[in-house]
Amino acid sequence: MTRYPRDMTGYGANPPAANWPNGAKIAVQIVLNYEEGGENNILHGDPASEAFLSEITGAAPWPGQRHWNMESIYEYGARAGFWRLHRLLGDLPITVYGVATALARAPEQVAAMQSAGWEIASHGLKWVEHKDMPEDAERAQIAEAIRLHTEVTGAAPRGWYTGRCSNNTVRLVAETGQFAYVADSYADDLPYWSRFGRTDQLIVPYTMDCNDMRFGIQAGFTNGDQFESYLKDSFDVLYAEGTAGAPKMLSIGLHCRLMGRPGRAAALARVIEYFKSHDDVWFATRLEIAEHWAALHAAPTAARPSEMDRDTFVAAFGSIFEHSPWIAEGAYDLELGHTHDTATGVHSALARVFRSASEDQRLNVLKAHPDLAGKLAAAGKLTAESTAEQAGAGLDLLTDDERAAFQSLNAQYVARHGFPFIIAVKDHDKASILAAFHRRIENDRDTEFSEACRQVERIAALRLIEKLGA
C-alpha cells in the first residue's frame, strides 16, 4: 500500500464558514515571537553562535565562540524592542510565541505580557534548529519546554509553535494531547484538523509572508513601507473575501529585535490604525481562534478512504463502477493520500484504473450496466444504486407504451453497438433520456463507446457524491 502523507486539497473550492464572532469579516491574529535569550549561544550549551534572523547579512555560526554583535542584536529585542511593541500593541489580544528558556531569562517581560492579558504559547525549549534532532531527543525537549514554561508563567501553554521544526514536530506535540492548537503550518488561511494515529490535532496555520522576518533575509523587506503595503494588501484581499461571505484569518508575525526597531515600528503603527479603521474586524489570540473553531467545527469522524484497509475500501467502493470491484482493488494500490478522502478524490483514483484498463475490460464494465427500464428493472434485480437512479428519473413509473419504447430502443442499441445504452440518469428526466437515446443510437461504434465510458465515469462521480458528499 502506497500512501502520500501530504494534503494537497484542504478545503478546496468550498471552505467551511468561519462564523467569526459578531459577524466579523476577518480575524486578525498578531504574534510576537519572544526568542531573545533562547537563541544559539555557547553560554546556553550550544556548539556555536546564532546566525538566524538578525541585521547581519550573511551571518554564519561561530563554532565554539560567542558572537558579540549577534548577541547585542538579540539583546536589543529584549531590552528595547519588546517594550516598544508592548506600548504599541498593549491594548490588542496578542499571542506570544515564547521560547521557554528565553521566558525564564525575562521576568519583567513575562510580567508585562501577563499584565496586558496576552496569550503566551510555547515556542519550544530553545530557539534552535530541530531538523536533524533524533525523535527521542525532540520529544524530551518538548516535555521540558512544557515543564519550564509552566514553571515560569504559572500555567501550561495551550498553543505550540516550534518554527525551526522537524518532520516529527507536529506529531510529537499532538501526541502530548494537551494543546488546543499547533501552529507549525503555513498551509491555509483557516484552521484545520490533522490526525496522528488516534489523536486529532487542530492546526492554526502561521505565516512567513506577513512576517517581519522578511527584514532579516535578502529576498525580504528593506523598509517599513514595503511591510506596510504588503500587510494592507493582504488585509484588503481577505476583508473582501469576508465581505463576500467567506471570512478568513490574517496571521502576522513579529519579532522583538526586528519590528521593535523604530523605523519598522512606525510602519506597524500605521498598519494597526488601518485595520482599526474598518468595521467588523476581530482581533484575537490564536487560542481564541482555536477555541472558536473547535466549538464550531469538530474534528471529522468519518472513515477516510486513504486510511481504509483493502477489504474495507473495496467493500465501500467496489460497486461504484457497476459490478466491477476490480476497479476499486486497482485504485487501492495507487498512491492515495488525504486528497483522495473526498468524492472527487476517490473518483479520480477509480477513474484512473478504468481509463488505463484494456478496451475489453472497459467493455465488460459497460456490459455490466443494466438496460434502462429493462427486464431486470421489472424483476427488481438491479443493484441498489441502479434502482435508485432509475427511480429518480421516473423510469420505474413508465406506462406500458413507454416501457415498450425503451425496450425497443434498448434492443436496437445493443444490436448496433454491442453494449447497453448508458446515461447518467441523475442528470436527466424521462424526456431528455429518450431524446439522448434517439440521438446517440445513430453514432458510430467508437464514438458511442467513448460516450458510454464518459457516462460510466459520470455515474460513478454521482454515486460517490451521494456516498461521501460533494
Side-chain angles (χ1 to χ4, degrees):
M1 179 177 70
T2 303
R3 294 297 178 260
Y4 190 65
R6 300 168 66 196
D7 184 352
M8 307 299 287
T9 300
Y11 294 126
N14 300 296
N19 291 331
W20 301 136
N22 301 313
K25 297 179 175 66
I26 187 172
V28 174
Q29 205 298 291
I30 301 173
V31 166
L32 180 60
N33 292 271
Y34 196 88
E35 299 157 351
E36 289 76 11
E39 78 277 14
N40 282 288
N41 191 313
I42 63 171
L43 295 175
H44 306 159
D46 302 306
S49 62
E50 186 56 72
F52 193 47
L53 291 187
S54 77
E55 310 292 343
I56 303 173
T57 302
W62 289 7
Q65 299 182 56
R66 294 176 61 186
H67 193 315
W68 191 264
N69 292 346
M70 182 65 72
E71 288 184 21
S72 66
I73 288 172
Y74 271 76
E75 288 162 12
Y76 182 92
R79 294 162 56 106
F82 170 83
W83 299 105
R84 180 169 291 114
L85 295 176
H86 185 267
R87 290 190 295 272
L88 177 58
L89 302 172
D91 65 337
L92 292 174
I94 302 299
T95 292
V96 176
Y97 288 164
V99 174
T101 51
L103 295 176
R105 297 182 174 107
E108 296 286 344
Q109 293 90 336
V110 170
M113 296 170 195
Q114 294 175 325
S115 178
W118 291 354
E119 175 203 359
I120 308 178
S122 181
H123 198 2
L125 181 64
K126 301 172 70 172
W127 177 232
V128 297
E129 187 60 73
H130 292 76
K131 67 180 180 66
D132 298 320
M133 189 176 290
E135 183 173 323
D136 288 346
E138 187 174 5
R139 183 181 288 107
Q141 288 222 354
I142 291 168
E144 176 59 15
I146 295 169
R147 186 204 67 77
L148 183 57
H149 184 109
T150 304
E151 180 181 282
V152 170
T153 69
R158 298 291 311 287
W160 181 279
Y161 176 72
T162 295
R164 299 159 82 171
C165 62
S166 73
N167 283 330
N168 299 317
T169 299
V170 178
R171 173 177 56 83
L172 293 175
V173 174
E175 286 174 357
T176 69
Q178 70 177 73
F179 288 97
Y181 70 89
V182 175
D184 278 297
S185 170
Y186 315 97
D188 214 300
D189 298 311
L190 289 171
Y192 61 90
W193 292 94
S194 285
R195 183 176 295 171
F196 301 92
R198 297 183 178 181
T199 300
D200 290 305
Q201 178 63 62
L202 185 64
I203 308 297
V204 181
Y206 188 43
T207 177
M208 283 191 176
D209 65 320
C210 294
N211 193 312
D212 68 2
M213 66 169 285
R214 300 186 69 82
F215 286 110
I217 60 176
Q218 291 183 347
F221 305 127
T222 58
N223 61 65
D225 288 347
Q226 293 174 333
F227 177 79
E228 176 185 357
S229 175
Y230 191 85
L231 263 63
K232 286 181 176 179
D233 284 347
S234 299
F235 177 91
D236 287 347
V237 168
L238 294 178
Y239 191 84
E241 291 180 7
T243 301
K248 306 293 195 315
M249 174 181 71
L250 174 63
S251 289
I252 299 169
L254 309 175
H255 297 76
C256 299
R257 62 192 175 280
L258 296 175
M259 188 52 59
R261 294 285 176 175
R264 297 169 185 152
L268 177 62
R270 294 192 296 270
V271 167
I272 298 300
E273 289 306 309
Y274 181 75
F275 294 168
K276 288 182 175 181
S277 71
H278 290 71
D279 295 328
D280 302 322
V281 177
W282 183 37
F283 291 92
T285 66
R286 297 184 89 73
L287 182 58
E288 288 173 329
I289 289 172
E291 290 178 336
H292 170 86
W293 195 267
L296 193 66
H297 300 289
T301 57
R304 302 182 183 187
S306 67
E307 296 176 358
M308 293 176 177
D309 60 38
R310 177 181 292 275
D311 290 343
T312 304
F313 186 91
V314 174
F317 305 114
S319 63
I320 297 299
F321 280 73
E322 196 85 4
H323 295 297
S324 303
W326 61 268
I327 294 178
E329 292 168 355
Y332 183 84
D333 292 331
L334 296 177
E335 183 194 72
L336 303 185
H338 298 303
T339 197
H340 296 94
D341 291 336
T342 64
T344 300
V346 174
H347 184 262
S348 173
L350 296 173
R352 285 176 57 190
V353 175
F354 177 65
R355 293 167 190 165
S356 63
S358 69
E359 182 170 330
D360 283 346
Q361 288 175 308
R362 284 180 288 147
L363 178 59
N364 287 333
V365 174
L366 300 187
K367 289 180 176 180
H369 279 259
D371 291 334
L372 292 183
K375 293 180 180 179
L376 289 178
K381 295 183 178 180
L382 300 184
T383 63
E385 291 90 347
S386 290
T387 299
E389 289 157 2
Q390 294 202 23
L395 300 186
D396 61 335
L397 299 173
L398 298 177
T399 66
D400 289 342
D401 287 345
E402 288 171 333
R403 183 173 294 104
F406 267 102
Q407 290 178 355
S408 175
L409 286 168
N410 283 331
Q412 295 174 53
Y413 184 95
V414 173
R416 180 175 176 85
H417 299 297
F419 48 84
F421 176 77
I422 301 170
I423 192 168
V425 295
K426 282 190 176 181
D427 292 332
H428 297 273
D429 58 21
K430 183 169 55 179
S432 66
I433 291 171
L434 276 171
F437 222 146
H438 284 291
R439 183 179 67 253
R440 287 172 48 191
I441 200 169
E442 299 301 326
N443 284 340
D444 63 77
R445 200 265 185 189
D446 288 345
T447 298
E448 193 54 23
F449 184 85
S450 296
E451 179 59 30
C453 287
R454 283 192 290 271
Q455 292 297 321
V456 165
E457 291 188 21
R458 175 61 179 162
I459 291 167
L462 292 169
R463 288 178 176 178
L464 286 166
I465 290 171
E466 180 74 20
K467 189 178 187 69
L468 300 176

